[in-house]
Amino acid sequence: RFETERLAVTLLDTPGHADFAPEAERVMPVIDCALLLVSGTDGVQGHTLTLWRLLQHYGVPVVLFFNKMDLPGADRAALLADARTALSDRCAALDDAESVALSSEALLEHFLNTGALDDALAADAVAKRELFPCLFGSARQLDGIDELLRALEHLAPVPVYPAELSARVYQIAHDPQGNRLTFLKVTGGTLAVRSAVCCHRPDGEPLEAKVTQLRLYSGAEFEAVQQVPAGDVCAALGLSGLLAGDTLGDAAPDRGAALEPVMSYCIRLPADLDPQLALPKLRLLEEEEPQLRMVWDARLREIRVQLMGAVQLEILQSLIRMRFGWDVTFDTGRISYRETIAAPVEGVGHFEPLRHYAEVHLILAPLPQGSGLVFDTVCSEDVLDRNWQRLILTHLQEKQHLGVLTGSPVTDLRITLAAGRAHLKHTEGGDFRQATYRAVRQGLMQAENILLEPWYDFTLEVPAPLVGRALSDVQRMGGETEPPQTMGEMTMLTGRAPVSAMRNYAREVTAYTRGTGQLQCVFRGYAPCADQASVVEAAGYDPERDVDNPPDSVFCEHGAGVTVKWQDVPARAHVESGLRLGEPEEKEESAGPDRSRGERYAGTLAQDKELMAIFERTYGPVKQRAFQPPRPPRRPESSPEPDKRHIRPQKGGEEYLLVDGYNIIFAWDDLKAVARDNLDAARKQLCDLLCNYQGVRKCHVIVVFDAYKVKGGLGSVEKYHNIHVVYTKEAETADAYIEK
């Protein structure tokens, strides 16, 4: 923290190495302006382009400072031309008034009228990213530093903050005493000690927290304060559970990181250290560096971590030694793949062990590359209450869903809730978690899955005689190149290639160019893997043996939970989404009359083997038959032949099921055995079973018990949980009541 004559500045200094680009990205949503440093001897490099794209992604105003201008080879004109070509044609030297004026119509009009630049208009152009001021100097010699500070005073944007409290978390750290520090920027209102705030997580429900202390840090020193106004950066204590990217109050949700690590390494712990005991401590480092993504592989009993490169690997190794005293090593690393699907599918998940119930139907549809995961719902609230729908969407967001080819995370999918069902009595929150996870996996198991691999954008500089070798290498790696550009004795190639092919290519370049060549790689994104079959075979992943991500469902049979294989789940589902993926729509004019609700209900009874068996034991075999129109009445032979009649579709109303209670009890062996000892217990057990049945079928259940022998009985109708229980009056049988 420092102040100039006109400005109070909080400087967030991020690491400059390419391996630590995610740290630079985390501060971009909270900064008002970025100062981008470019080496005067090297010019715009691959990492400069990475940072530039990130700043563009977050819409951050930028001021460029070309450093090391005191060294041989630093050419101001060439650097400016390089920046205008590689970054933006709106890059302009600040001491060149004409170039600055050309960046904005308002600036140009004022310059033509007055012959001078207006600071307010220039600052507005910087804020709108219409102008990128360029300054030159040498930090070591303090050359150009005064001009830089004056430029920041006059051109740095000054945001206007709202009155409502809002803040954005950008870093998690721990002080020497072990206190958890949540670094954030207040983007609205005033944050005070002991104030309760609403915290928003991108992957979960809002939570309430209370600030216990506020610190204004400057380097390693800090000052404890009672409140922090909008625009300031501080460290808060008491906000446990929050991570970088979370927001407080009315702040807009985080957009998500644009950079992703492309390599995964196994942490090899000391022999006497249990990996499962070490994992909770390593999770503390993951809070500070979310891109690490510590993953516990239960099958191999190993901890894997995702990193950007070798330098970050060395830093992590040193940090673990300093923080926990462990000497760890890493394996050679493997590529971090992703998975997606080629066409929409419907996934069904059912979870119904004893006294639990939930069913979820999801539509998984592919999205364009780079879209990530999108969650939505088209389920009617008449089918599933809104609170259950919100819970399902929360469960979709809270977990990293794995594909079925290599167990890699899925991406570029829209997952839509189409239908679901809960039980009034037996459904709990955890039931929908299980049903949701199983629905995703069941959908992936039946989909056409595509393996995605990471790609680099590369820039390769080699001596002109070696261009043929370089082009041959890129072609062998399955990459693509633009036409070569000659730069004196060197030739520059730009193109794209898979990370798996280029991960060790920098060493080859150094070898065959004898140190004169240079390779720079920037993560481009994910694309379909060219050698999917061999990668999947090498991974050896069996999705049906992944106990943490089962595709099968659990149904209730004979009072116990039974696991049903994923391919058999749709046929046993209790609710339909109404979607027919891949089936041609029938033409309305060729369709027959709609099936009545009663006929559809007969179909569902046939699927319920237990209840069907009860009916057959009670009433004999039940013969299924399709709807037949009534025969026309007989007419005298002299009567003319009647016209063909149009049978109107019957509109189904609400569905009712009437049950003769004692018939069912004495036809069901289990209930009959209970009735021998206690008839009341048998009646209650039957009513409990019918309550469950009503929760599944969503029909109106009325169970009727004979009471016709009760002298003076007037009959009664009682509500038992979600069904009705009827006791008939004197001289009225259950059959008579049901027929009536």
Side-chain angles (χ1 to χ4, degrees), residues 131-180:
L131 170 63
F132 302 105
C134 299
L135 297 101
F136 303 84
S138 171
R140 185 184 296 274
Q141 304 296 332
L142 295 182
D143 180 26
I145 304 304
D146 291 337
E147 291 80 1
L148 173 62
L149 292 177
R150 282 196 297 270
L152 292 177
E153 285 181 333
H154 291 89
L155 301 179
V158 180
V160 177
Y161 297 102
E164 296 295 329
L165 175 64
S166 61
R168 185 177 299 276
V169 179
Y170 69 91
Q171 184 181 357
I172 303 297
H174 295 81
D175 65 9
Q177 288 73 39
N179 297 314
R180 190 178 191 271

Side-chain angles (χ1 to χ4, degrees), residues 225-528:
V225 296
Q226 291 300 309
Q227 60 183 21
V228 177
D232 268 5
V233 169
C234 66
L237 279 73
L239 302 180
S240 59
L242 291 188
L243 300 174
D246 294 344
T247 58
L248 279 65
D250 294 335
D254 187 60
R255 299 180 62 179
L259 290 179
E260 288 193 50
V262 295
M263 297 296 296
S264 173
Y265 298 86
C266 174
I267 302 180
R268 305 204 182 282
L269 300 168
D272 58 345
L273 183 60
D274 187 347
Q276 286 187 299
L277 297 178
L279 184 60
K281 293 188 176 181
L282 293 174
R283 293 282 188 202
L284 298 176
L285 301 181
E286 186 181 21
E287 291 183 355
E288 301 174 11
E289 176 56 66
Q291 293 288 350
L292 288 179
R293 296 182 187 173
M294 302 282 181
V295 177
W296 167 249
D297 191 330
R299 181 171 58 93
L300 301 177
R301 289 190 56 82
E302 64 183 21
I303 302 173
R304 302 201 68 86
V305 58
Q306 293 188 0
L307 297 172
M308 295 294 291
V311 173
Q312 196 179 16
L313 204 65
E314 295 176 8
I315 297 295
L316 178 61
Q317 189 177 31
S318 175
L319 185 62
I320 293 176
R321 184 186 302 111
M322 179 181 64
R323 187 78 67 87
F324 308 121
W326 305 334
D327 288 321
V328 302
T329 57
F330 301 89
D331 65 1
T332 56
R334 65 187 185 192
I335 304 297
S336 294
Y337 292 94
R338 296 289 183 269
E339 297 182 27
T340 189
I341 61 176
V345 294
E346 179 179 355
V348 183
H350 189 95
F351 187 70
E352 191 189 2
L354 188 62
R355 296 186 180 88
H356 293 270
Y357 186 89
E359 182 167 301
V360 174
H361 292 243
L362 302 174
I363 304 301
L364 282 64
L367 290 177
Q369 292 181 17
S371 301
L373 294 177
V374 178
F375 306 104
D376 197 6
T377 176
V378 295
C379 181
S380 170
E381 293 183 22
D382 295 334
V383 175
L384 188 64
D385 290 341
R386 180 182 299 181
N387 62 318
W388 294 126
Q389 295 191 35
R390 285 199 299 260
L391 183 61
I392 292 171
L393 293 178
T394 299
H395 291 325
L396 285 173
Q397 297 171 12
E398 71 189 5
K399 180 184 179 181
Q400 186 180 66
H401 301 283
L402 303 184
V404 298
L405 295 176
T406 61
S408 302
V410 297
T411 187
D412 300 339
L413 288 180
R414 178 184 294 276
I415 303 179
T416 305
L417 173 62
R421 178 166 287 181
H423 190 282
L424 292 176
K425 181 179 178 182
H426 296 307
T427 297
E428 300 178 0
D431 299 344
F432 271 110
R433 176 184 290 110
Q434 287 289 333
T436 301
Y437 293 171
R438 294 168 190 268
V440 174
R441 294 286 284 185
Q442 197 271 343
L444 293 174
M445 289 294 291
Q446 56 183 317
E448 180 185 349
N449 293 274
I450 300 175
L451 186 67
L452 304 176
E453 64 176 341
W455 277 55
Y456 278 143
D457 279 332
F458 68 85
T459 302
L460 176 60
E461 295 182 20
V462 296
L466 297 175
V467 173
R469 161 71 188 270
L471 289 172
S472 176
D473 288 346
V474 174
Q475 185 177 9
R476 172 179 51 83
M477 292 184 292
E480 305 169 354
T481 59
E482 304 295 336
Q485 300 178 13
T486 303
M487 302 181 301
E489 297 180 355
M490 302 294 288
T491 299
M492 182 174 70
L493 294 174
T494 58
R496 300 153 296 281
V499 172
S500 58
M502 297 208 74
R503 55 184 295 190
N504 297 318
Y505 188 57
R507 298 176 185 174
E508 293 185 36
V509 172
T510 302
Y512 73 73
T513 63
R514 298 185 179 181
T516 59
Q518 186 177 16
L519 175 67
Q520 296 177 354
C521 296
V522 178
F523 174 65
R524 173 184 179 86
Y526 281 86

